[in-house]
Amino acid sequence: MGSTIVNIVRSVSLGVVRNYDLTISRGYIAPDGVNRSVILINNQFPGPTLEANWVRMSTTFDKHSLELMYAREILSPSTSATKSPVLRKELLCIAVQQCPIAPGKSLRYTFKADLFGTSWYHSHYSGQYAGGAFGAMIIHGPHENIFYDVDVGPILLSDWYHLPYFEVVKQVVGKGVGPPFSDNNLINGKMDYDCTTIKAGGPSCTPNAGIAAFNFTSGKTHRLRLINSGAEGMQRFSIDNHTMKVIAQDFVPVQPYDTNVVTLGIGQRTDVIVKANMAPDSAVFMRANITCSTANQPNALAAIYYEKANRTKTPKSTAQTYPNTKCGNDDLTRTKPLFPFPALPNAATTLNVDITFGPNASDVNLWYMNGVSFRANFDNPVLLLAAAGNTSYPNNPQWNVYNTGSNSSVRLIIRNYFPALHPMHLHGHNFFVLAEGVGEWDGKITNYPATQRRDVQMIQPGIFGGAPAYLVLQYDTDNPGVWPFHCHIAWHVSAGLYINLMEHPDQIRKKTVPQTLAQTCRDWSEYSGHVVVDQIDSGL
């Protein structure tokens, strides 16, 4: 059992502080009626929502308005976690910016919120967030591109495993086994489960555990903040009898467009506006369906009750129909940023990255990026090495470090040769999504100059034995550091689907690395010097 104290602070000159005291512990819960061991935050699953305000200064917006001031984490030896609010410029990750937080030790973590919108925080240690170590984060800003009446808040969509997360990791890196299918699908941590499917000797199960419920007011417009906080499953979200207007993807406001289904890969967020256009006594289902993924029970339900609806009764609404053929995001032609910042037509440097899957010398199936499967070194975070002047690691190719030098922009051409999708996430940046599809890229940029931007984008499955899928991303190197680029499926990154992108190493050496990060390594060295750390996967 342990605690994490998190203080979110507006800049000192503004004098507004957001304090969060988070306690992390192991416990047993039954979100769908099936009792299992989990990681809890403040004895909650999902963890509490962290909220703060972005700052408006006169007619412009001050993007440096928030700081996360202090984090203290005390955990049992069987648990070690890194809490990482997903804010673009200063997100932390073990083996990159810090060592794991040792049991009984602390981390003081300061960041500035340079973007507003919907996000989430989660552990980045051996699939721990699949065990419950996550929660929503909302940075309130201007109404972006549309006004609404009611902010419904975060809606977390999570595939759910009845096995403890570390048991799943063992299967992922075991010989000839692979990850199991998820057992259920949850909306804000709730869903029913058919207890008759539990095998003899299995976990205890209570039927009719209950589903999440939300409120609509007739005639009002409602903002829903959709987050795929699961481990593996791609989600398709819909609301019976209602149309949704998409207004933001990840941290990027987009030109509004109407849809009856929203697709989210792991780590992606989509904000939508919904007009409550039914009678005051109405009740309908919202739905999240896992597709293009491995799930035993893929369908999640939650109830929406209008102000005069009978809340003792379950909605009777019927699901909408929608195309369900593409294992990927909406076509790029539909998703244009509200404020276009054109990508450079020719990047300063280009990296080609091929994704493959296969056995290593020990006959364990792993993911590879350009033929290398990533494995973290908890004792030597790459950023700390780079800050000390060490930017080359010929004896540690498994760290997968790509040094982009002083180039002003980087283009990534990713090809996926395996028939599985990958939601690709870049820390430290919003990237431009230049193109995606199946086959070979023809060199054309979609929607130029209004090219889509976000921080997670799915690459479609490749055709087995045939053409690869491709994804072309580009980012400006305006944030010196070492930034992870990885698939956000927990089991894929556990099996090595990850690279590090080093940016402006000369400037890294000039930056002052907070002593709190170096302290995590001193604490970790002391801890790991007398405890065997059971790192069976990539570490992330």
Side-chain angles (χ1 to χ4, degrees):
M1 181 170 179
S3 65
T4 301
I5 298 174
V6 179
N7 296 326
I8 294 185
V9 185
R10 195 179 294 178
S11 60
V12 175
S13 61
L14 296 169
V16 177
V17 179
R18 301 285 183 258
N19 296 307
Y20 292 93
D21 186 348
L22 306 181
T23 299
I24 297 175
S25 61
R26 285 189 176 273
Y28 283 84
I29 60 170
D32 59 354
V34 179
N35 197 38
R36 58 152 288 191
S37 172
V38 296
I39 299 174
L40 301 173
I41 304 175
N42 282 7
N43 208 34
Q44 295 175 219
F45 169 76
T49 298
L50 307 184
E51 298 186 69
N53 291 324
W54 204 56
V55 182
R56 182 168 184 167
M57 302 291 288
S58 301
T59 57
T60 62
F61 296 110
D62 176 10
K63 69 178 182 178
H64 299 298
S65 61
L66 300 171
E67 292 183 271
L68 177 67
M69 294 298 294
Y70 188 79
R72 179 168 62 88
E73 189 149 353
I74 305 171
L75 297 167
S76 66
S78 60
T79 310
S80 185
T82 309
K83 308 319 298 171
S84 298
V86 184
L87 291 164
R88 184 170 68 93
K89 289 293 187 182
E90 300 177 39
L91 184 147
L92 297 184
C93 184
I94 60 169
V96 184
Q97 289 90 5
Q98 65 170 99
C99 294
I101 304 170
K105 299 299 181 179
S106 303
L107 168 65
R108 183 179 176 88
Y109 175 30
T110 302
F111 70 86
K112 293 181 179 180
D114 65 337
L115 297 171
F116 55 82
T118 302
S119 196
W120 63 312
Y121 63 98
H122 54 276
S123 169
H124 238 311
Y125 183 102
S126 289
Q128 276 188 347
Y129 77 80
F134 67 86
M137 174 176 281
I138 299 173
I139 307 300
H140 295 283
H143 276 214
E144 291 104 335
N145 51 341
I146 195 167
F147 285 90
Y148 53 89
D149 299 305
V150 180
D151 192 332
V152 175
I155 298 176
L156 294 146
L157 314 177
S158 309
D159 53 13
W160 190 242
Y161 294 76
H162 291 158
L163 279 175
Y165 79 90
F166 202 63
E167 295 303 313
V168 180
V169 171
K170 288 179 180 178
Q171 291 194 28
V172 169
V173 295
K175 291 185 179 181
V177 181
F181 283 32
S182 61
D183 294 293
N184 210 344
N185 195 15
L186 311 180
I187 296 178
N188 277 8
K190 294 184 176 182
M191 183 55 191
D192 293 328
Y193 187 74
D194 182 1
C195 292
T196 64
T197 63
I198 299 292
K199 297 179 180 179
S204 62
C205 182
T206 302
N208 303 315
I211 61 176
F214 300 88
N215 300 318
F216 269 17
T217 301
S218 186
K220 300 290 187 180
T221 52
H222 301 73
R223 179 176 184 164
L224 283 65
R225 300 171 180 271
L226 310 178
I227 304 168
N228 187 337
S229 54
E232 190 266 349
M234 188 187 89
Q235 302 273 5
R236 298 206 197 272
F237 178 88
S238 63
I239 301 176
D240 297 351
N241 303 328
H242 290 75
T243 298
M244 297 174 287
K245 185 179 294 293
V246 174
I247 64 166
Q249 293 176 326
D250 299 344
F251 273 129
V252 179
V254 299
Q255 295 181 24
Y257 66 92
D258 291 340
T259 184
N260 64 348
V261 61
V262 172
T263 300
L264 299 107
I266 301 296
Q268 291 187 314
R269 297 88 64 204
T270 297
D271 290 38
V272 299
I273 300 295
V274 181
K275 179 68 176 290
N277 55 7
M278 299 181 70
D281 61 350
S282 301
V284 297
F285 282 123
M286 66 169 61
R287 303 172 187 267
N289 299 325
I290 297 173
T291 58
C292 304
S293 305
T294 53
N296 288 324
Q297 198 299 94
N299 304 316
L301 297 172
I304 296 176
Y305 292 105
Y306 278 61
E307 67 269 26
K308 294 184 179 179
N310 185 345
R311 299 179 70 91
T312 65
K313 293 185 177 180
T314 301
K316 302 296 183 183
S317 57
T318 303
Q320 301 191 61
T321 59
Y322 51 79
N324 194 27
T325 55
K326 181 182 178 182
C327 293
N329 289 117
D330 290 352
D331 289 341
L332 292 178
T333 54
R334 301 188 71 188
T335 55
K336 300 177 182 180
L338 188 66
F339 307 108
F341 307 125
L344 295 172
N346 296 294
T349 190
T350 296
L351 297 177
N352 293 289
V353 181
D354 290 347
I355 297 173
T356 54
F357 182 77
N360 65 4
S362 300
D363 202 31
V364 174
N365 283 318
L366 298 174
W367 291 99
Y368 300 85
M369 299 184 80
N370 285 348
V372 179
S373 186
F374 172 78
R375 185 171 174 84
N377 185 323
F378 293 156
D379 302 309
N380 292 294
V382 179
L383 177 66
L384 302 190
L385 294 175
N390 182 359
T391 58
S392 179
Y393 320 105
N395 297 323
N396 297 282
Q398 72 278 10
W399 294 357
N400 262 8
V401 179
Y402 289 76
N403 188 337
T404 61
S406 59
N407 286 291
S408 60
S409 58
V410 176
R411 179 171 294 176
L412 300 170
I413 301 177
I414 305 108
R415 290 177 292 193
N416 179 20
Y417 286 88
F418 194 81
L421 65 88
H422 303 290
M424 301 304 297
H425 174 45
L426 176 62
H427 294 212
H429 294 275
N430 280 328
F431 47 62
F432 299 95
V433 186
L434 303 187
E436 66 93 23
V438 177
E440 292 294 337
W441 181 42
D442 60 8
K444 296 179 180 178
I445 297 175
T446 306
N447 287 344
Y448 189 83
T451 311
Q452 166 69 323
R453 301 189 308 277
R454 62 187 313 168
D455 57 55
V456 185
Q457 175 72 24
M458 283 188 279
I459 185 170
Q460 296 181 60
I463 299 173
F464 189 78
Y470 65 86
L471 174 63
V472 185
L473 309 176
Q474 189 167 304
Y475 63 96
D476 296 329
T477 59
D478 56 1
N479 192 18
V482 180
W483 302 113
F485 178 62
H486 62 89
C487 175
H488 220 309
I489 292 174
W491 320 132
H492 291 186
V493 72
S494 279
L497 213 167
Y498 174 109
I499 62 175
N500 284 304
L501 295 167
M502 183 180 293
E503 177 176 333
H504 292 294
D506 290 342
Q507 294 185 41
I508 294 174
R509 289 195 289 272
K510 297 176 182 178
K511 295 178 70 173
T512 300
V513 177
Q515 283 300 308
T516 51
L517 300 185
Q519 185 61 46
T520 63
C521 293
R522 289 188 286 270
D523 295 340
W524 181 254
S525 177
E526 179 184 355
Y527 169 72
S528 60
H530 64 272
V531 174
V532 176
V533 178
D534 194 12
Q535 184 184 348
I536 63 172
D537 66 341
S538 73
L540 299 180

